[in-house]
Amino acid sequence: MNGINIAYIGGGSRGWAWGLMSDLALEPALCGTVRLYDIDMEAARENAIIGNRLAEREDVVSSWRYEVSASLEKALAGADFVVISILPGSLETMAVDVHTPERYGIFQAVGDTVGPGGAMRAFRTIPLYIEIAEAIRDHAPDAWVINYTNPMSVCTRTLYRVFPGIKAIGNCHEVFGTQKLLARALEEVKGVQDVTREEIRVNVLGINHFTWITRAAWRDIDLFPVYEAFVEKHHAVGYESEQTGNWMNDFFSSANRVKFDLFRRYGVIAAAGDRHLAEFCPNRWYLKDAETVRAWKFSLTPVAWRLENQKERLEKGRRLAAGLEPFALQETGEEGVRQMKALLGLGDLVTNVNLPNRGQIPSLPMGAIVETNALFTRDSVTPIQSGTLPLPVLSMVERHIRNQEGIVEATFTRDRHLAFQTFLNDPLVDLDLPEAEACFRAMDQGYFD
Amino acid sequence: MNGINIAYIGGGSRGWAWGLMSDLALEPALCGTVRLYDIDMEAARENAIIGNRLAEREDVVSSWRYEVSASLEKALAGADFVVISILPGSLETMAVDVHTPERYGIFQAVGDTVGPGGAMRAFRTIPLYIEIAEAIRDHAPDAWVINYTNPMSVCTRTLYRVFPGIKAIGNCHEVFGTQKLLARALEEVKGVQDVTREEIRVNVLGINHFTWITRAAWRDIDLFPVYEAFVEKHHAVGYESEQTGNWMNDFFSSANRVKFDLFRRYGVIAAAGDRHLAEFCPNRWYLKDAETVRAWKFSLTPVAWRLENQKERLEKGRRLAAGLEPFALQETGEEGVRQMKALLGLGDLVTNVNLPNRGQIPSLPMGAIVETNALFTRDSVTPIQSGTLPLPVLSMVERHIRNQEGIVEATFTRDRHLAFQTFLNDPLVDLDLPEAEACFRAMDQGYFD
Amino acid sequence: MNGINIAYIGGGSRGWAWGLMSDLALEPALCGTVRLYDIDMEAARENAIIGNRLAEREDVVSSWRYEVSASLEKALAGADFVVISILPGSLETMAVDVHTPERYGIFQAVGDTVGPGGAMRAFRTIPLYIEIAEAIRDHAPDAWVINYTNPMSVCTRTLYRVFPGIKAIGNCHEVFGTQKLLARALEEVKGVQDVTREEIRVNVLGINHFTWITRAAWRDIDLFPVYEAFVEKHHAVGYESEQTGNWMNDFFSSANRVKFDLFRRYGVIAAAGDRHLAEFCPNRWYLKDAETVRAWKFSLTPVAWRLENQKERLEKGRRLAAGLEPFALQETGEEGVRQMKALLGLGDLVTNVNLPNRGQIPSLPMGAIVETNALFTRDSVTPIQSGTLPLPVLSMVERHIRNQEGIVEATFTRDRHLAFQTFLNDPLVDLDLPEAEACFRAMDQGYFD
Amino acid sequence: MNGINIAYIGGGSRGWAWGLMSDLALEPALCGTVRLYDIDMEAARENAIIGNRLAEREDVVSSWRYEVSASLEKALAGADFVVISILPGSLETMAVDVHTPERYGIFQAVGDTVGPGGAMRAFRTIPLYIEIAEAIRDHAPDAWVINYTNPMSVCTRTLYRVFPGIKAIGNCHEVFGTQKLLARALEEVKGVQDVTREEIRVNVLGINHFTWITRAAWRDIDLFPVYEAFVEKHHAVGYESEQTGNWMNDFFSSANRVKFDLFRRYGVIAAAGDRHLAEFCPNRWYLKDAETVRAWKFSLTPVAWRLENQKERLEKGRRLAAGLEPFALQETGEEGVRQMKALLGLGDLVTNVNLPNRGQIPSLPMGAIVETNALFTRDSVTPIQSGTLPLPVLSMVERHIRNQEGIVEATFTRDRHLAFQTFLNDPLVDLDLPEAEACFRAMDQGYFD
Ligand SMILES: [Mg+2]
Ligand SMILES: [Mg+2]
Ligand SMILES: [Mg+2]
Ligand SMILES: [Mg+2]
């Protein structure tokens, strides 16, 4: 299919943009144009050069043109798809999100989703998403919008709040990692080899980065007893696959001990990385202090590392643009391009995405952004009824949903008081009132002035 | 996969039982045992002979043994699947359902779903379904139950009311006929040939026999403008495909004028045969009198014909059992066996089924039996969120759902007054109170004595 | 309490305005200003003169000043209460609503609520209510708004759709009449005399003019068996109280045969006049033809009578303004002024009003305008959970709610097609498609051009 | 009204039974019989003697006979009202609830509602309530049931789960205390004296002991600004009324600092005593350690005190029965008798009670036991729509509702694992997994063996 128009918003951080280029280059069914828009226009320009270079290569099986758009509006006009992957603020700002709370005894492994860091990141991202949503409403109301930016739930919620008619989904690969882990368990427990993650059927429900699997199967094999055996064997010491990932998840390894512990508690499979899962639970469980974190065998990613890594990526970008380094084509494992194909009518797909709750999880508040499986078919994404969660898990999920609602409401209405009370309701914020106030104040980069 | 146990309840009317035999015989992936139970044990015995004869044939690609069970309990014990397809009462009783209302000016094309005939059929079927549901709860609580008996919605509702943990679905092929019609439209309007009905993607929602399609596509082609063109061309005169069906639908042809008219009214595609659709609408629209019916080009199936047809089928049964006539193997187009495969983990399937509303149609009452697409995967059927219907259609559907609720409640509680008031709320029952009372009394075969 | 500001929108038809004047004049607890606004400014001016004349009288126990406002905005500015009672269009227009459908065999007793007449009246009233709601949002967002205009449900729905934060209620006295009837039954069956309608406790639920009572008591006496005995005695011949009413309901008598019949059908008490009730039911039940209406002993109010009556009222107005006729002070039995007192904190009140469904009738769609009891206290109206209705009644109510939703949606979106399909879904519109189209066209006074 | 039959279940702890006797003795409108049933039959016998002694007194304005019933069934047969006020287990058992968690750093002020103590109390009370509910279903299905036992929410939930048709309410006087505090604020801020708590209108919503007031008024005065001024003045040091209460609340004083703090956080009025409120909040806020508790100026009631107090009450009981001490007649301020009057048709009443959520708080799960205002009228209690709560409060309430659901479910299904996970989800249980497990084990008096 020719003539597909994709608007790519963001991409200055390079990685996600290159991933999309790679996936498009390897997909023979689609050709067209990608319009790049980033507030760092230089970044967009460099990405366009890198993208257009691919046209010459023989191992590229499709034809895509990359253009830089001078404005959001221009990028959006005529788009069939809008991909959003922005870095809200700078990594320096993110350092405040992640490390300032450490002064108050709150440790965060990622700091981009929930917890004090997630809240602050939300406060500065939502205003950007309001602008983006208004622009989509006005310039590309029929486009399918694929969001990759975190915090996923509040970003997607903002899109729908501004423009209820938007056709937006939120994508995240965390569940895929759990599918891979289930394939490992299948191999170890049952001796079945070479099963791909796509073959692992899972019933997914929850919220992004705190997503759960309540049924899993490979062909006719129920994977719950398989996983149970696997967990019983490994939970004490942990399990680390020898597998290495792409840039997106490589150095972020864990021993899955949090995931195993949650399975032993609740009997359902937590489907995100341990670093994310830990942040959704009460402070004391997995993140009490550095020693606790070490015992659970995951790491707290320092923003200093991200800065270093960013520098490397920028340098790599310059080399790629200058033709000094070849662009490495490889499938990212992301599903954005597969989803586009399904939405264009080129084959159905069932996968997990983030969408407003219209009844797919009837026990959670309607309108909350939830993550479940959905059926993708031509111009249509329909979520699948996913049942419910064990009560204590449901309760934890609900609490985060209310916090997301509070964060969005507070940002829309500029209500600092609500923002702070919501901040205080986060399970990681195990502080008394004056401490919490001090922490909030130290972290607030002008969001509620 | 070997050792599958199927309990088949009913089958005395032969047709559906032979269809299942045929589909099982042609499915290489499954082997096992079918236990036949019917209150007419002679019928079950004859069916077992016919089924077991297939084992000798070369064109049969699987191995199934057919046994007669002396009781419902014995049929159910150890079942993986329970298929229910019973004739509630006799055709003589059905003649009262269909033809007695004609004395009061109410004409019915089928008389087995809604209208006065559907109500009476429900009153005598629900008690049987209470027994079946109790037996499944006690003897096969983990089995998947596939219901084919009409009235579909109230039968399935009864199963869930008696045994909320039942894993039951209701199957009907009416939507498939509409998919075929869409393939015809695609051929005629766009010149695309040889598209099978399975390739036509549809978003299905509503209640059985009054089901609607709100999105349809073939690959990347939106079928709504295609169907619109087709309807505009044919609605005045009607459209009849030259295609002939199997025993189940052959002589029940129509010119689709009701279906076309409903599309022109509401902009969504009614996905059942005209004979069914007409019965859900106000009496005056399509069934006012014989002349009106003729003008809309469908027929009122007389029960006399069913009696004749039954006689032929019984004779054919005797010939088949005696080996005097070869059993004609052919796929029925029903999806029961495909669904079993998916439930066993042998490949996913998305298709439409009848299930309690858990949010798949949030604008309709929770717990009502609704028909939507669902994802079938290993040991799991999860309905797909199907959006909503145009308001006037929603209103008509709601009215029937309330009537179904009333019919079930009245039968469970032996409440003749509620039964009558519900009867009176049917759109076909355009009678004043004394006429309606007389009609009800004339039709009541001891249901509320 | 002094300084109360009331904005009175409408009043050109005199009756309701005079009623309010009378009730205010007789209420010692409140004093203030009424600002009158009507598109017929002469009418407003005359009403102001009449109102201000009251100040001189000795039997008036409060002090109110009446002013004419030149615009809606001016009337609203600073209002504590907004009373709306407009005549949408003229009585000549209403004659089309009521009498044109007679050419198609549809008879209407009132023609202002549902049926073809109610639909058309809605189509022309909703745009006026959009304007009023916008003006309230902009000029009196904190005022309590009391609506008297019909069609009540769609008018109130429009107010909330335009301005979700509005503090609006819809008032109707029909339930009061049923309370009076219950007092009569109590007298006749139990010999208890002189019970006022306020002493009769009722649980009210449904929609305006199709409201139902599911529990009724006087002190410790359950009135359901009392009413049942009363109905059994009178239903065949009917019951007419010798009581005469004020201008609002005097000549609109009935023998309550419809009300009695509905009780015998459903076991719950229909709480509106027969003329209204009949219009909510299938055409054939009570309104099939003139003879049927006569048999049920209610009358079809001709608009010619209303024109005559209007003329008399206008003449009376002139006499009142000129001081040629004394203004007759008497309590109307309306509750607007009592409600104002309660909202001002001068004593609680439980009474029935029309409000958006926030769960007071959980089995009906959220957001629909429903009529139930509510507790009035200082600056607060909180509806009371009212349980549910018998299924067939619920179904009829739901159908009208969907029609109201369709009417409002069609008017907001200028969707003639939806308007017509909704019209067709009315129980009184027992027409085939071409007849219905002709009827709609004949009635449409430019609403969907 | 004569011949009223009251079944009183429990009463062995004397206080509540004597309170009811006092209230009945002072209510001239009701006469009848109270049947006392307690597993400590000696206690019931003593209470009967005390109650029957009242008949001789001149200051008693009604006539009540007290009888001892040998069984629950006999007490219930023919009852118009059932009052339940039991002590589940002994005070020695309660000592484990309250004081064992102190070894794990968890301090509880009451320990009978939530927290580890509330959970354990629930585990042993629910089985008793299952029995009581079954007996009511079988022997007094039409009686009105008034529950006073804690934990209120789970006891009432159990009644409805066993017997959905039960007419049960849960009563608690905590809100009354807050009404009294509002009267004090009114006096201090506005100089209005001698306002009774019944005159203070409040909109109540939440769950028992964590109930909130979102609107409050005295006549035309909005009490929110009044309370705000009061709180601003007193929050730092606290406010203690000089008023002393009856046996039920006397020694349980606080300085309202928790209540004031919650108002400053959320802008709505917490309507329970500080000792209860603190237990619903995160451990660290008000109950971190003894010093924190002292700073917030409330006390942790030691069970040793309860034991001492119990001893005194038993001795007093002996004196009262022996006629050695006169029974002090005084109204308790409880509303049970007033509610009975209203339910008998002797005057309406609006007050707060605990009932299953049928939509009175639409943002909380349906079926949860919630506390809101309700209208009491003849044979009917209808809750009032109460709006919603600020998001962070809603979130805290939801968490407790999920815990209550988990506690009830775990007790019904004997699911120790769910019981423990629910225990762990309590905000007071700020423990890691091994500590929590040890604490649970130490507290479990055989509930899950
Ligand atoms: Mg992610
Ligand atoms: Mg069918
Ligand atoms: Mg009215
Ligand atoms: Mg209490």
Side-chain angles (χ1 to χ4, degrees), chain B residues 16 112-113 148 150 152 171-174 208-209 276 371:
Chain B
W16 284 95
D112 72 344
T113 309
Y148 286 101
N150 285 329
M152 173 59 72
N171 275 6
C172 171
H173 53 228
E174 294 285 326
N208 183 243
H209 293 170
H276 283 304
E371 188 165 333

Side-chain angles (χ1 to χ4, degrees), chain C residues 1 201 203 215-223 344-348 350 358-360 362 366 373 375 377-387, chain D residues 1 201 203 215-223 344-348 350 358-360 362 366 373 375 377-387:
Chain C
M1 197 175 278
R201 291 292 176 271
N203 185 58
R215 286 188 299 275
W218 176 73
R219 298 195 185 164
D220 59 331
I221 298 177
D222 182 356
L223 292 178
L344 290 166
L346 305 179
D348 293 355
V350 172
R358 302 285 182 235
Q360 57 266 50
M366 291 300 107
N373 281 333
L375 172 67
T377 186
R378 201 200 77 91
D379 199 26
S380 154
V381 180
T382 39
I384 285 169
Q385 280 289 122
S386 302
Chain D
M1 196 175 280
R201 292 291 177 269
N203 186 58
R215 286 188 300 274
W218 177 73
R219 299 194 186 166
D220 60 332
I221 298 177
D222 181 356
L223 292 178
L344 290 166
L346 306 179
D348 293 356
V350 171
R358 303 285 182 236
Q360 57 266 50
M366 291 299 107
N373 281 334
L375 172 67
T377 186
R378 202 200 76 91
D379 199 26
S380 153
V381 180
T382 40
I384 285 170
Q385 280 289 123
S386 303

Side-chain angles (χ1 to χ4, degrees), chain D residues 150 171-174 208-209 276:
Chain D
N150 285 328
N171 275 6
C172 171
H173 53 228
E174 293 286 328
N208 183 244
H209 294 170
H276 284 304

